[in-house]
Amino acid sequence: MTDTGTFRLTLPGQMLRRGFWLYVWKVAAADGRELLYVGRTGDNSSPNASPPYIRMGQHLGSMKNQNALRRHLTTCGIEPETCGSFELVAHGPIHPEVVKPEDFDHADKLMRDSLMELHTPFRNSVGAMEKQLEKELRSVGYVVMNEVKWKHSVNDAEWIPIRRAFATDFPKLKDLK
């Protein structure tokens, strides 16, 4: 027998905006633990920067190269379907998605490379912020399931306002100076 219910998901229209976003999943596990997963939008291999609502479904889906949250939960011995709730806290877009011409063709290597040159600095900046957010959440006592590996450094002038934004939902971040 399956559990049947009526559920609601409210999605603010602003979360449909494409661009470079940072986000944190707050997962309420069935055993009462709160687990976090830190991520970002802005592809490594293409000049795309999706809105967070697209990543939302991918994270919990079945496509192996897209469902990192599901994989981290199962590694922890947690079946995602048994969790009490999933909350996505997203901040952005920090940078806009690189504008592509209407006739953009991914097979056009020259155009793709040109767009990647514009995309990469934004991706590197937000990737550094993703790593900083993961590190800081962990340092103040939150349980973060993933470790963000990124070689670029965060720009403090850009980072501090973003940390403050996340501190609304993760108040222990306010302890950092």
Side-chain angles (χ1 to χ4, degrees):
M1 182 165 154
T2 60
D3 292 331
T4 304
T6 302
F7 307 95
R8 284 153 202 83
L9 173 68
T10 302
L11 182 67
Q14 292 168 310
M15 284 182 76
L16 304 179
R17 292 172 59 199
R18 295 186 70 85
F20 294 83
W21 292 72
L22 282 177
Y23 58 84
V24 178
W25 279 100
K26 283 190 199 183
V27 180
D31 62 7
R33 288 182 292 165
E34 180 181 83
L35 304 169
L36 305 182
Y37 177 93
V38 178
R40 67 170 167 84
T41 65
D43 292 359
N44 286 337
S45 58
S46 77
N48 297 321
S50 302
Y53 87 93
I54 289 176
R55 287 298 295 135
M56 201 167 80
Q58 292 170 333
H59 265 295
L60 294 167
S62 59
M63 301 238 350
K64 192 174 180 179
N65 63 341
Q66 296 177 347
N67 67 356
L69 176 56
R70 176 176 286 279
R71 283 184 282 120
H72 279 283
L73 287 168
T74 56
T75 297
C76 292
I78 299 170
E79 289 182 48
E81 294 78 10
T82 67
C83 291
S85 65
F86 294 87
E87 181 179 352
L88 181 66
V89 178
H91 180 79
I94 298 166
H95 299 291
E97 182 179 45
V98 171
V99 178
K100 297 172 201 68
E102 282 188 35
D103 62 344
F104 175 62
D105 177 6
H106 280 276
D108 181 344
K109 184 172 173 12
L110 193 60
M111 175 59 74
R112 190 183 165 292
D113 289 349
S114 171
L115 292 170
M116 280 303 289
E117 280 185 41
L118 300 171
H119 172 90
T120 301
F122 294 138
R123 182 205 62 200
N124 290 347
S125 169
V126 177
M129 291 179 201
E130 176 191 20
K131 179 181 179 180
Q132 191 70 21
L133 181 57
E134 176 262 319
K135 179 179 144 190
E136 290 184 5
L137 285 166
R138 191 181 305 280
S139 77
V140 295
Y142 292 100
V143 178
V144 182
M145 291 182 285
N146 63 314
E147 180 183 349
V148 178
K149 295 177 188 321
W150 201 255
K151 64 182 176 181
H152 302 280
S153 299
V154 72
N155 175 317
D156 284 339
E158 286 184 317
W159 170 243
I160 299 303
I162 292 169
R163 177 202 292 147
R164 284 189 197 119
F166 277 101
T168 300
D169 291 275
F170 304 97
K172 294 178 194 175
L173 289 174
K174 293 176 185 173
D175 296 339
L176 298 173
K177 303 292 179 218

